[in-house]
Amino acid sequence: MTVLETGASSPSPMLAGKIAVVTGGTRGIGAAIVEVYAEAGATVVYTGRQVPRPEPTGHPTPQPIAHPCDLADEGSISALFDFVHERFGGADVLVNNAAIHDNAAAHKMSSEQFRRVVDTDLVGTFLCSKLAALQMREHGRGGAIVNITSIASVTANAGQVNYVAAKAGVEAMTKVMARENARRGIRVNAIRPGLIHTDMTADMPEQLWAQKVATTPMGRPGDAHEVARAALFLASPHASYVTGVVLDVSGGRGM
Ligand SMILES: NC(=O)c1ccc[n+]([C@@H]2O[C@H](COP(=O)([O-])OP(=O)(O)OC[C@H]3O[C@@H](n4cnc5c(N)ncnc54)[C@H](O)[C@@H]3O)[C@@H](O)[C@H]2O)c1
């Protein structure tokens, strides 16, 4: 029997009592993070663009709570963090996971196409981080922000000038916010995934997929749960002296 060595089977409750917000938690890497965080004892509020609003009353629950949010809409992001504040007194953990891509060569890309990706992936991440950091500063318990970036920020993929600029911007922002919040016990880190099997990569041409696998030293794509477990580490007390880092989770492709 072949056993795929993808990591621990049952994480300990490292996030017991924590309120964690995960953007884009309806599928892919975000859904895996929601699952792993809930198993680790967190109360998770995850977003999707079309999920229904949660019931107005309630208490911390072991079941993840869906809340609608469009990262390209500042009012929608404010409503999400207002909900977290009113229901739970603020976030302890934020994972900025949601993102889009919309590819074209730079000389053929419209300004609208460039802005849409940067608005969602970079500005949306900034606004969520700002509101989460404000809540963490207000409640005074510290906190952790985990930004999901991409190996594309270093491989500089042709056809992804908007996405690469946004992800590289998020990595730079990670370090600025880590420095600004370090004395408050708020840690800000990033995860830079390589090739991961999700809906985002489902439409990748077969030849490109094969080429990416071939240039991955571990010789295989990653699983969303392998990214999720790295996100658990960075949010947990095990990473208590880790801030301002970009953790490569790419099967060695980032070397
Ligand atoms: N899959 C990969 O190979 C890979 C590689 C590197 C980085 N990443 C990054 O990992 C993260 C998750 O990617 P994935 O592969 O799971 O993608 P995915 O497309 O499967 O999921 C993206 C999530 O973001 C949400 N989303 C998109 N636009 C949104 C908006 N405007 N407002 C709110 N939510 C929105 C979607 O609903 C979905 O839940 C992204 O930041 C992506 O850039 C993925």
Side-chain angles (χ1 to χ4, degrees):
M1 185 174 73
T2 308
V3 177
L4 187 64
E5 288 190 338
T6 54
S9 54
S10 61
S12 55
M14 290 195 280
L15 299 182
K18 302 293 181 193
I19 308 301
V21 177
V22 179
T23 65
T26 52
R27 66 184 203 200
I29 293 169
I33 294 172
V34 172
E35 185 190 317
V36 166
Y37 277 21
E39 277 174 11
T43 296
V44 185
V45 178
Y46 68 95
T47 74
R49 273 168 295 182
Q50 277 147 17
V51 297
R53 280 181 193 286
E55 294 299 317
T57 57
H59 299 286
T61 154
Q63 293 302 321
I65 301 169
H67 194 286
C69 181
D70 180 353
L71 278 194
D73 174 354
E74 187 165 358
S76 165
I77 294 173
S78 295
L80 167 70
F81 282 91
D82 284 350
F83 167 79
V84 173
H85 190 260
E86 281 158 24
R87 177 80 67 98
F88 303 112
D92 299 300
V93 176
L94 165 67
V95 183
N96 285 303
N97 165 76
I100 54 167
H101 64 150
D102 186 1
N103 301 346
H107 62 280
K108 291 182 182 163
M109 187 178 288
S110 68
S111 56
E112 193 281 329
Q113 203 175 353
F114 187 88
R115 283 203 181 93
R116 198 169 73 84
V117 171
V118 169
D119 269 355
T120 306
D121 297 5
L122 178 59
V123 181
T125 295
F126 162 69
L127 293 170
C128 290
S129 302
K130 172 188 166 173
L131 295 179
L134 270 170
Q135 292 185 350
M136 292 169 188
R137 283 167 165 260
E138 187 188 286
H139 64 51
R141 296 191 297 270
I145 297 175
V146 180
N147 295 322
I148 309 298
T149 66
S150 171
I151 191 86
S153 67
V154 287
T155 54
N157 301 349
Q160 293 199 310
V161 68
N162 45 5
Y163 183 75
V164 169
K167 292 297 190 181
V170 172
E171 291 184 4
M173 191 171 74
T174 299
K175 294 173 191 176
V176 174
M177 290 197 66
R179 194 180 292 284
E180 288 178 356
N181 291 287
R183 299 280 168 114
R184 306 285 187 122
I186 301 164
R187 299 179 298 99
V188 187
N189 293 292
I191 292 174
R192 188 189 277 156
L195 183 65
I196 313 293
H197 235 308
T198 67
D199 287 357
M200 186 178 260
T201 48
D203 61 354
M204 191 181 285
E206 234 172 81
Q207 210 183 342
L208 184 58
W209 177 270
Q211 182 241 318
K212 285 183 193 284
V213 172
T215 53
T216 300
M218 289 182 73
R220 64 168 177 87
D223 175 84
H225 286 82
E226 294 178 289
V227 180
R229 286 192 287 270
L232 174 60
F233 165 69
L234 288 175
S236 79
H238 289 297
S240 55
Y241 202 47
V242 180
T243 198
V245 307
V246 180
L247 176 61
D248 203 284
V249 182
S250 67
R253 210 162 136 239
M255 281 191 276

